């Protein structure tokens, strides 16, 4: 079944790339909201590191529409994402992109959704504990992005990334097992905290952002903020004291030095530090050349355990909302 | 004296543009840290709205170096800023940019600084209460950016923006007078707060970011986070209750709808709201065509009063630091 679904994902990507191939694509816009936007940050990092010709931009959906970038047009590929496919601003962004002549490719869990319908192509990704990592959102996004880079610029990492994404589920499992005890410890230590900061840089910043705004603020009503590890020393670090909790992510990309520097300083003057370091996980199945790109996906997977444990011990289910889906906004 | 300094600024810009003119510039990188980075956000907005051909990117300095964007090269203009001209990562960024063949133009208050020395061209801006707004950082940045757009693409707003920046000081004064009482009220109401969020979108987001990380976190040790008004509804708004303070900025650019929507929701479920609305300020001297670009500068100026009053009432000078310039980091 897994194999069948994975074959399906590959053929969806192939179909999407066939549409890209019909156009003269010169720039890529990543457009989504909240967690769906955060999952595009690693792809923006990939574009900055890999794309020799194609330009790329990342916007929250309504910012995209109202900012109305002058470069959006028939040479644009707009990549959108909404889990339910119903996020109004993202559906509107797909319409807006197509009205400008751009190609709109969306990722969603719901093939019958408005977003799927308003896009030129949709890619259905899998979700939940049964899904193989290869068929889930981060992986489908990478397959699309590296596929586009391969198609437009002959980028040679496409096959390599595909091969590594096929081994991602096993890597997830190992990392989750390694961190299960740490996740429980984190939850016990932080159950009464009013604020928890997160911090990262490079390909991992989106994971820190997502944990801050989706898990802590949205699902746990705990104050938070994702601090960029490079910006830390230019303002935010003055907030550090022995009482203020930080979750510090260390990835494996070129910016790791920024995260290490932030951690090293924080250890001197702070005490409530939770460190997730991709170097400590068993990534032996992953090729060195793409470890930096894969690390944020693993960190994100591992962090979900931290969220689950925190919700459990606080008796505050991750599904609980005050406003979202409940009131008008 | 003011006239003389302003003439000097114009001739500095002219000299910088002459250097730009010697190259074949295809992309612009905005590179700085903290508050100096934040002051580039409106210019990134300008580029997205105005630049038909030239691409633009914005990074914190160390992220720029380690991310090492593949597009950085001899067709790049790298615009840097550091007030003292000593920020190590930004000085390093100038060296790095030039080692890649890029043109490095920096803004600084210190012509004798390492940043000025490591750049191809430096622009000295004025600072402090005596300085005319035309010669200060935001204005010099806009003159450079619109100058580059005019030079490379014939953008026609260059003269208009220059004319409007010459009237900026008078506009600042009027707005500051209008908001003096509100700033005092804000300080009285918020003197005991442990956390204060800021929020904005579009050209104004950088002002919200700067107030959050430089004023609240760095200078007042108050927890904070700049929430993007469009992202608000996809996570952060769940934190809103009658006890949580928000500073909500409303500008005059194309994304104002996002800020209005965020305010309208916040009014329903929140109570500790401080609203700074550029529409309420006397911008009659400013041409409609550039009001959206000028608004963040005015909001930033006005907010400085809020910072001053907050520092005063909390008996916590804006100059007080725990770590910055005091310990190794």
């Amino acid at each position: 079944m897994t194999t069948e679904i994975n074959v399906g994902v590959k053929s969806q990507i192939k179909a999407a790339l066939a549409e890209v191939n019909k156009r003269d694509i010169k720039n890529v816009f990543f457009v989504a909201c909240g967690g769906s936007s955060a999952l595009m940050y690693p792809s923006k990092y990939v574009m900055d590191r890999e794309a020799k010709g194609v330009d790329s931009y990342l916007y929250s959906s309504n910012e995209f529409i109202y900012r109305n970038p002058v470069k959006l047009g028939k040479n644009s590929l707009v990549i959108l994402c909404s889990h339910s496919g119903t996020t109004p601003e993202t559906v509107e962004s797909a319409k807006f992109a197509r009205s400008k002549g751009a190609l709109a490719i969306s990722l969603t869990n719901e093939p019958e959704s408005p977003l799927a319908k308003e896009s030129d192509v949709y890619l259905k990704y899998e979700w939940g504990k049964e899904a193989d990592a290869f068929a889930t959102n981060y992986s489908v996004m990478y397959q699309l992005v590296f596929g586009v880079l391969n198609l437009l610029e002959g980028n040679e990492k496409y096959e390599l990334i595909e091969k590594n994404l096929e081994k991602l589920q096993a890597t997830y499992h190992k990392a989750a097992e390694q961190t299960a005890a740490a996740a429980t410890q984190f939850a016990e230590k932080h159950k009464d905290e009013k604020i928890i900061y997160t911090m990262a840089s490079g390909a991992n910043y989106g994971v820190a952002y997502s944990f801050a705004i989706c898990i802590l603020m949205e699902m746990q009503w705990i104050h938070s903020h994702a601090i960029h590890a490079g910006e830390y020393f230019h303002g935010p670090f003055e907030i550090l004291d022995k009482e203020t909790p930080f979750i510090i992510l260390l990835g494996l990309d070129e910016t790791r030095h920024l995260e290490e520097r932030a951690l090293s300083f924080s250890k001197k003057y702070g005490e409530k530090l939770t460190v997730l370091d991709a170097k400590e996980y068993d990534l032996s199945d992953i090729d060195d050349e793409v470890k930096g790109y894969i690390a944020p996906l693993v960190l994100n997977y591992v962090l979900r355990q931290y969220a689950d444990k925190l919700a459990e011990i606080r008796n505050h289910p991750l599904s609980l909302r005050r406003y979202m889906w409940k009131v008008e906004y």
Side-chain angles (χ1 to χ4, degrees), chain A residues 8-21 123 158 162:
Chain A
V9 167
K10 286 183 191 177
S11 83
Q12 284 191 81
I13 297 288
K14 205 173 270 184
L17 294 177
E19 290 306 310
V20 174
N21 204 25
L123 301 168
Y158 180 39
E162 200 181 55

Side-chain angles (χ1 to χ4, degrees), chain A residues 35-323:
Chain A
S36 291
S37 175
L39 87 85
M40 295 172 166
Y41 283 48
S43 289
K44 170 66 176 146
Y45 187 84
V46 167
M47 293 296 293
D48 286 355
R49 292 272 319 161
E50 303 277 346
K52 296 193 175 77
V54 187
D55 293 302
S56 62
Y57 308 90
L58 188 152
Y59 301 106
S60 185
S61 302
N62 249 352
E63 177 83 29
F64 171 70
I65 296 169
Y66 287 87
R67 187 179 283 224
N68 187 7
V70 67
K71 282 170 172 286
L72 175 66
K74 65 182 173 48
N75 301 118
S76 304
L77 163 61
V78 180
I79 299 177
L80 308 113
C81 182
S82 163
H83 185 67
S84 65
T86 57
T87 312
E89 304 97 303
T90 309
V91 176
E92 206 52 49
S93 291
K95 283 190 212 175
F96 178 69
R98 294 180 75 192
S99 78
K100 295 268 181 176
L103 176 65
I105 299 182
S106 62
L107 278 71
T108 179
N109 188 235
E110 292 292 345
E112 298 297 319
S113 65
L115 179 61
K117 284 173 185 160
E118 295 296 344
S119 303
D120 293 292
V121 183
Y122 71 82
L123 301 168
K124 182 202 173 350
Y125 62 78
E126 303 300 319
W127 183 256
K129 304 222 156 145
E130 301 304 308
D132 182 81
F134 184 81
T136 58
N137 52 8
Y138 273 100
S139 165
V140 173
M141 185 69 73
Y142 266 179
Q143 290 174 63
L144 176 63
V145 166
F146 279 96
V148 167
L149 285 171
N150 178 260
L151 179 69
L152 300 179
E153 307 189 346
N155 186 294
E156 289 174 359
K157 295 205 182 88
Y158 180 39
E159 279 178 43
L160 186 67
I161 203 86
E162 200 181 55
K163 195 186 86 185
N164 278 278
L165 291 171
E166 283 172 343
K167 294 180 289 186
L168 189 56
Q169 189 62 46
T171 303
Y172 277 178
H173 273 307
K174 284 186 280 179
E177 272 181 23
Q178 269 184 271
T179 52
T184 303
Q185 269 174 23
F186 164 82
E188 280 163 4
K189 270 194 193 166
H190 292 81
K191 62 183 166 50
D192 299 320
E193 295 296 347
K194 300 273 179 270
I195 182 159
I196 302 173
Y197 286 106
T198 65
M199 185 151 53
S201 63
N204 317 298
Y205 181 75
V207 177
Y209 178 66
S210 170
F211 198 81
I213 70 156
C214 298
I215 303 296
L216 296 173
M217 298 177 85
E218 175 183 328
M219 301 184 189
Q220 291 296 303
W221 308 345
I222 292 173
H223 295 297
S224 190
H225 173 21
I227 298 171
H228 183 274
E231 289 284 275
Y232 188 43
F233 300 99
H234 303 278
F237 78 152
E238 285 283 333
I239 210 73
L240 177 70
D241 59 23
K242 295 186 193 310
E243 303 306 319
T244 304
F246 279 75
I247 298 174
I248 302 179
L249 307 184
L250 284 88
L252 299 167
D253 66 44
E254 295 73 12
T255 73
R256 182 178 166 95
H257 163 74
L258 280 67
E259 296 163 335
E260 284 176 344
R261 183 183 170 209
L263 173 61
S264 157
F265 181 87
S266 302
K267 276 182 173 169
K268 268 196 213 164
Y269 302 96
E271 281 181 0
K272 292 190 176 167
L273 308 179
T274 302
V275 181
L276 278 78
D277 186 351
K279 212 176 228 173
E280 291 172 7
Y281 306 154
D282 179 357
L283 298 182
S284 54
D285 286 344
I286 306 296
D287 286 295
D288 283 344
E289 218 177 333
V290 295
K291 269 191 181 145
Y293 296 148
I294 298 295
L297 282 54
V298 181
L299 288 168
N300 188 64
Y301 190 86
V302 162
L303 269 172
R304 189 69 195 197
Q305 289 188 122
Y306 286 63
D308 287 339
K309 293 293 176 192
L310 190 63
E312 197 181 300
I313 205 160
R314 296 180 77 232
N315 204 13
H316 183 124
L318 294 171
S319 57
L320 192 64
R321 298 291 184 283
R322 285 191 248 239
Y323 313 119

